[in-house]
Amino acid sequence: MEKLVINGPTRLCGDVDITGAKNAAVAIIPATLLIDGICTLENVPNISDVKMCCSIMQKLGVKIDWLSNHSIRVDTRNISSTIAPYDMTSKFRASYYLLGALLSRCGKAEVGLPGGCNLGARPIDQHIKGFEALGASVTVAQGKISAKANCLIGTSIYLDTVSVGATINVMLASVLADGTTTIDNAAKEPHVVDVANFLNTMGADIRGAGTDIIKINGVKALHGNATYSVVPDQIEAGTFMLAAVASKGDITIKNCITKHLECVTAKLLEIGAHVEDIDGDTLRVWASKRPNKATIKTAPYPGFPTDLQPQMGVVLAIANGTSIINESIWDSRFQYTAELNKMGANITASGKSAVFQGVNELSAAPVYSTDLRAGAALIIAGTIAKGKTEVYNLEHIDRGYEHIEDKFRNLGAKIERVSE
Ligand code: EPZ
């Protein structure tokens, strides 16, 4: 088993390059199934979720070659199966995207129900609602979802809840459908837009991605023979913004899209940090004093991202005064607060809200990450805590962050990955 050993406190200073977005890549790679051809993806994050996604695709007959550390050549000319291996999909939450993609390409799909996770219930009723509205028949039994459709007919779908996954999955299922599909109450996250941009690059006709109404005019086929670069990871960039503030450091975050972080920037300015937007793809974030208290309410984009909630929790744990976080997306995203309390924080979490009584400093302790963003938060906490912190359960963190300890070390953190 591996752990991260971090000796703090350290002020994080320097430059960090942001990698391609996990939540875009894990959708775009399945989306290549809509192409009967070859395409190249660049700026692909080299993380375990992406590697698992590629392994599942290869089991379906897709040829995937890593051309470099961040680019892959995908050949989807020979699909040999429409059944995603259950033992693999149960380890890869976003495997549900294979349903929409295989339905479009082959008219049928069987995928294991997404594994449980530490954020609470992860329903997919809206995905199923969309597939059935397009004319598919969907059954859920023995832990698997099976979908099939002789043909998919464009229609109008109103999503009952704003859902990134359902928006993308319905998009995948309607790109090659007969006629036009409208998705109302659609998610607007940058990775939703990135999937639409990828599909349009390959010949789809999708308009309105990034707004709450997306219109997809079905086309006969997508062409390959094109290269697409995955959007920079908004959440990784936000993680380092919050690390700069928590450590009273000064970090220049390169290769990001500053517009995707406007909500985080606004909140950091509100609590007394400094943020400078350098020509739209670089952010400098610095803080010289203890942050002021704040009230945070997570919300779908462009609101404060739930995937930055734990990292913000570390900042509020050492802020001046009493702060509150209301988590509106997931039922159980405060498990990390128990770990921070082991480090001397004073946080009371109950249901979907948590109260942070700011303390002067955190002290080192052995802590366990419960999900990937909680893991990133505990690394930030270890960086600012006095003494030697050990962070366990790195498999969560490695799902979504590439070489995270190297990036923190390059910013001055005393951090090592150790095998126990
Ligand atoms: C995506 O999950 C992300 N994962 C999550 O990031 C992120 O937290 C979430 O969007 C919200 O931004 C990927 O993109 C792979 P949702 P997703 O469907 O698509 C409810 C990370 O750390 N809902 O937008 O599964 C659901 O319960 C991960 O990178 C339904 O009720 O999330 C939740 O309350 C963690 N029925 C809300 O909608 C459905 O059919 C938003 O979920 C689908 C969702």
Side-chain angles (χ1 to χ4, degrees):
M1 179 173 73
E2 292 182 314
K3 64 184 177 182
L4 289 175
V5 178
I6 310 167
N7 280 288
T10 303
R11 288 185 64 244
L12 297 170
C13 297
D15 295 359
V16 62
D17 269 309
I18 299 305
T19 310
K22 163 180 97 74
N23 291 345
V26 297
I28 289 173
I29 294 168
T32 61
L33 285 164
L34 273 64
I35 302 162
D36 179 0
I38 296 171
C39 68
T40 301
L41 300 179
E42 293 181 341
N43 204 34
V44 177
N46 204 322
I47 54 179
S48 57
D49 259 11
V50 163
K51 289 172 193 161
M52 179 56 82
C53 182
C54 290
S55 300
I56 295 170
M57 293 280 279
Q58 286 164 331
K59 289 282 185 190
L60 302 178
V62 177
K63 232 166 113 5
I64 295 184
D65 299 302
W66 284 87
L67 307 176
S68 73
N69 203 25
H70 293 124
S71 66
I72 56 175
R73 179 178 175 276
V74 185
D75 180 350
T76 49
R77 287 175 296 180
N78 303 300
I79 305 301
S80 54
S81 169
T82 60
I83 300 174
Y86 187 75
D87 60 319
M88 298 170 85
T89 55
S90 57
K91 299 186 188 86
F92 171 53
R93 272 215 50 74
S95 48
Y96 43 61
Y97 290 133
L98 293 163
L99 287 165
L102 285 168
L103 256 184
S104 264
R105 173 69 184 269
C106 308
K108 59 179 180 172
E110 182 182 299
V111 176
L113 269 172
C117 92
N118 295 306
L119 304 183
R122 296 294 289 264
I124 57 166
D125 57 299
Q126 298 301 303
H127 300 236
I128 293 170
K129 171 182 176 178
F131 296 150
E132 289 177 337
L134 288 161
S137 62
V138 182
T139 53
V140 180
Q142 288 102 35
K144 295 175 187 140
I145 313 163
S146 304
K148 61 177 184 299
N150 298 326
C151 72
L152 295 162
I153 312 285
T155 184
S156 291
I157 298 156
Y158 190 98
L159 294 178
D160 300 341
T161 178
V162 176
S163 160
V164 167
T167 300
I168 291 174
N169 233 343
V170 171
M171 213 188 319
L172 295 177
S174 52
V175 161
L176 301 175
D178 291 345
T180 296
T181 298
T182 303
I183 305 173
D184 211 328
N185 199 25
K188 299 179 269 200
E189 271 69 4
H191 27 291
V192 172
V193 176
D194 208 40
V195 176
N197 289 344
F198 163 74
L199 291 166
N200 283 340
T201 302
M202 301 297 160
D205 181 0
I206 302 171
R207 302 150 197 236
T211 74
D212 43 18
I213 298 182
I214 301 177
K215 186 160 281 193
I216 302 110
N217 296 311
V219 295
K220 283 278 167 263
L222 298 190
H223 58 70
N225 309 322
T227 294
Y228 188 78
S229 183
V230 174
V231 72
D233 196 317
Q234 160 210 22
I235 303 303
E236 187 192 26
T239 299
F240 285 102
M241 291 173 78
L242 293 161
V245 176
S247 67
K248 299 191 190 67
D250 185 339
I251 300 180
T252 298
I253 297 152
K254 301 163 82 171
N255 184 33
C256 68
I257 297 180
T258 58
K259 171 136 189 69
H260 293 164
L261 291 145
E262 281 178 346
C263 180
V264 182
T265 296
K267 198 47 83 170
L268 293 188
L269 294 174
E270 192 185 299
I271 63 174
H274 306 280
V275 182
E276 184 187 350
D277 181 340
I278 303 167
D279 61 41
D281 64 4
T282 303
L283 274 176
R284 181 189 166 212
V285 182
W286 71 102
S288 46
K289 61 181 179 50
R290 197 174 169 195
N292 302 322
K293 64 184 179 179
T295 297
I296 302 285
K297 182 171 173 41
T298 64
Y301 189 84
F304 193 93
T306 175
D307 293 346
L308 289 174
Q309 187 259 91
Q311 302 91 312
M312 187 72 194
V314 179
V315 173
L316 300 182
I318 48 108
N320 258 318
T322 303
S323 301
I324 295 173
I325 296 183
N326 293 306
E327 169 57 56
S328 66
I329 308 289
W330 300 114
D331 299 336
S332 164
R333 195 160 212 172
F334 287 118
Q335 295 175 67
Y336 71 94
T337 59
E339 301 303 302
L340 291 184
N341 284 341
K342 280 194 227 168
M343 300 176 77
N346 181 355
I347 308 166
T348 310
S350 161
K352 296 182 90 168
S353 66
V355 178
F356 295 71
Q357 305 286 355
V359 296
N360 277 316
E361 63 178 10
L362 298 179
S363 48
V367 287
Y368 293 79
S369 75
T370 49
D371 72 82
L372 98 107
R373 308 303 175 185
L378 294 174
I379 293 173
I380 297 172
T383 303
I384 67 172
K386 212 169 180 175
K388 182 175 93 167
T389 295
E390 294 168 324
V391 181
Y392 292 88
N393 295 351
L394 303 189
E395 65 280 4
H396 290 300
I397 303 172
D398 294 337
R399 282 187 43 217
Y401 288 96
E402 186 181 316
H403 305 314
I404 192 162
E405 69 270 24
D406 299 340
K407 293 191 174 185
F408 270 84
R409 190 179 307 113
N410 292 342
L411 294 168
K414 299 178 191 66
I415 181 170
E416 290 304 325
R417 184 182 287 249
V418 173
S419 294
E420 278 239 299

